[in-house]
Amino acid sequence: MKIKRLPGSICKLQNLQMLFLGGCTNLETLPKRLGNLISLRDFDMTTKQSVLPENAISNLSSLEHLSIEFCNNVESLFSGIKLPFLKALYVSSGNRLKSMRLESKHFPALEILAVRNCEKLELSNDQEDQNFNLRLKTIFFYSLPQLVTLSHWLQGSKHFNILGTNRVLQSCNLEVLPDWLPALTSLKLLFIKDCPKLRSLPDGIHCLTALEHLKIEDCPELCNKYKPQVGENWNQISHIKQIRIGEQNIWKKS
């Protein structure tokens, strides 16, 4: 879209609940009084700004769903943003994005985190503090080439959806799953796709007794080791109700 600026009067719409600016790649800046939209619940944004107006975004106290896409000049997100009612966060196509700071005390209601197509983004383990241990229900990572391991602050999640690439996009370089993964006793779904450097699941994977669905695709080493009935590590996952390894499906009764 060719929108370069929004009229300031849009910020007078204090009953506005949905604002979709996603894909407006020519938008030079977000409205200065964005924080006046106190009823806003769904917000999709794209902007040329290099730094987002964190104070204004933090004033969106009713916000439940936030999507940030094609913000190609932004290098860091959420260092000063607090959104207590945010339930779902989607970040995609940030060419320069290098870091995201998500503290649980600032995002206590966050349940869904989806991040894709951010080539420089690192989710490192320097966020070990308890303040970063988000209680997510669903995680979706897609095409994050700097993703080598999973951070400690992802503990507590019930669903992991870790994808690398499809036929076009560059894959995740995930090399190892964290040792704390078997401690996620509520984990119900684990989906791993196109992570060719990933060679094994954690040793305690058999401890995930709540895990009902396991899907592994385009991971040659994993598919061989956990191949149904004959893989050397098949016994570690044989308790799971529904399994798909490559093109093979194993269905188990409850």
Side-chain angles (χ1 to χ4, degrees), residues 56-193:
I57 294 174
S58 291
N59 285 337
L60 303 177
S61 55
S62 299
L63 200 62
E64 296 181 357
H65 300 87
L66 174 62
S67 177
I68 301 173
E69 58 179 315
F70 299 109
C71 292
N72 291 325
N73 295 318
V74 173
E75 295 186 1
S76 178
L77 287 175
F78 309 122
S79 59
I81 293 177
K82 302 177 182 180
L83 294 171
F85 297 106
L86 191 70
K87 295 180 180 179
L89 173 62
Y90 306 92
V91 179
S92 67
S93 303
N95 292 344
R96 297 185 182 179
L97 183 63
K98 296 179 180 179
S99 66
M100 291 198 312
R101 186 178 180 87
L102 295 172
E103 296 188 50
S104 58
K105 65 180 181 180
H106 294 165
F107 299 87
L110 191 62
E111 297 180 346
I112 299 172
L113 174 63
V115 187
R116 65 177 185 172
N117 299 345
C118 297
E119 295 183 358
K120 296 183 178 181
L121 179 63
E122 295 185 30
L123 299 175
S124 63
N125 278 317
D126 58 356
Q127 298 177 351
E128 297 287 340
D129 192 285
Q130 286 295 318
N131 289 332
F132 291 93
N133 286 342
L134 301 168
R135 309 302 294 180
L136 299 167
K137 291 184 178 180
T138 301
I139 297 173
F140 180 89
F141 290 154
Y142 183 93
S143 191
L144 304 178
Q146 299 302 321
L147 184 65
V148 175
T149 186
L150 295 176
S151 297
H152 218 274
W153 51 269
L154 297 175
Q155 290 188 60
S157 304
K158 293 184 178 180
H159 299 269
F160 271 102
N161 200 347
I162 307 164
L163 283 80
T165 180
N166 56 21
R167 297 171 187 168
V168 179
L169 301 174
Q170 187 175 1
S171 68
C172 290
N173 287 319
L174 194 67
E175 296 176 352
V176 62
L177 290 174
D179 293 337
W180 48 257
L181 186 66
L184 304 182
T185 54
S186 298
L187 188 67
K188 293 183 178 180
L189 180 149
L190 179 60
F191 180 19
I192 306 170
K193 181 177 180 180

